[in-house]
Amino acid sequence: MFKPEALRLMKAKRPEFPQIEEFCRSPRAFLHHLDKAGVDRAVLINYVAPEVIGFTAGVNQFVADYVKEDPRRLIPCGSLHPRHSANIMADVEHVVRLGIRLIKIHPPHQLLYPNDYLRGVKELEIIYRAAEANGIPVMFHTGTSIFPGARNKYGDPMFVDDVAVDFPRLKILLAHGGRPLWMQTAFFLVRRHSNVFLDISGIPPKLLLKYFPRLEEIASKTLFGTDWPGPGVPDIGRNLDDFKALPLKPEVQDQVLGKTALRIWPE
Ligand SMILES: [Zn+2]
């Protein structure tokens, strides 16, 4: 589905790209890769962004089929797009029926603000209501994107504040902690709202404590991820090793590496 210019960025500095293509075909090969990296479970991020990346709603069926190999270890993330849905009610129902366990909204690639339901985009409200009612968390991409055509004004996490207020039972994950521009906003929102969590994927672990010096204070709501194979994330295992090398208390490491995620997706 990739547009050529987006695919070019995915392939840059990625000599092992054929291996990634193999993982897309074979969940078994990917599970083996996770074994070698020491990773028990992975959330597989997919989203609908036809204009900037090329992804259509077909990603939902793709990931639902993919995780059948091992639904305990592979957690399907899907998505919806307000401007690319002829019948949002039916599409939301379809996503729920497929067993999608996380919905990703990607404002800089979907070209919308998380709180656009306040300006007439009713589809967004329907998505959040359905996610809330079905206990499906919603992850927002926060922070910049270097993909051609991405619009970075949408990446400011502050626009998620309204969503946290208006949908108090919706579990909200701030992907990438607003990096590299809005870490303070992300930290504030996680402390301000009981339903907002911090996802550290996409942040080079070596920079994590520079970005979030008070990480331990929000450890109970912080979860590890890598954003691999996104640009700038070379390797899952290396991210994990770099995280483990940080000067964090063992209980904080356990919390971020597993316990927070287990609260969101119990086994
Ligand atoms: Zn993202």
Side-chain angles (χ1 to χ4, degrees), residues 104 106 141 175-176 227:
K104 179 145 183 175
H106 198 310
H141 175 103
H176 329 307
D227 209 26

Side-chain angles (χ1 to χ4, degrees), residues 45 47 104-106 139-142 175-176 179 201 227:
I45 305 292
Y47 55 92
K104 179 145 183 175
I105 299 291
H106 198 310
M139 169 181 269
F140 291 94
H141 175 103
T142 64
H176 329 307
R179 66 92 184 87
S201 75
D227 209 26

Side-chain angles (χ1 to χ4, degrees), residues 5 44 46 51 61 63 91 117 137 153 184 197 203 236:
E5 56 273 29
L44 309 176
N46 295 274
E51 291 101 337
Q61 187 69 55
V63 74
D91 288 351
Y117 60 91
K153 65 183 174 190
Q184 284 190 323
F197 296 76
I203 300 172
I236 295 173

Side-chain angles (χ1 to χ4, degrees), residues 42-64:
V43 182
L44 309 176
I45 305 292
N46 295 274
Y47 55 92
V48 183
E51 291 101 337
V52 176
I53 307 294
F55 297 153
T56 71
V59 297
N60 294 315
Q61 187 69 55
F62 165 76
V63 74

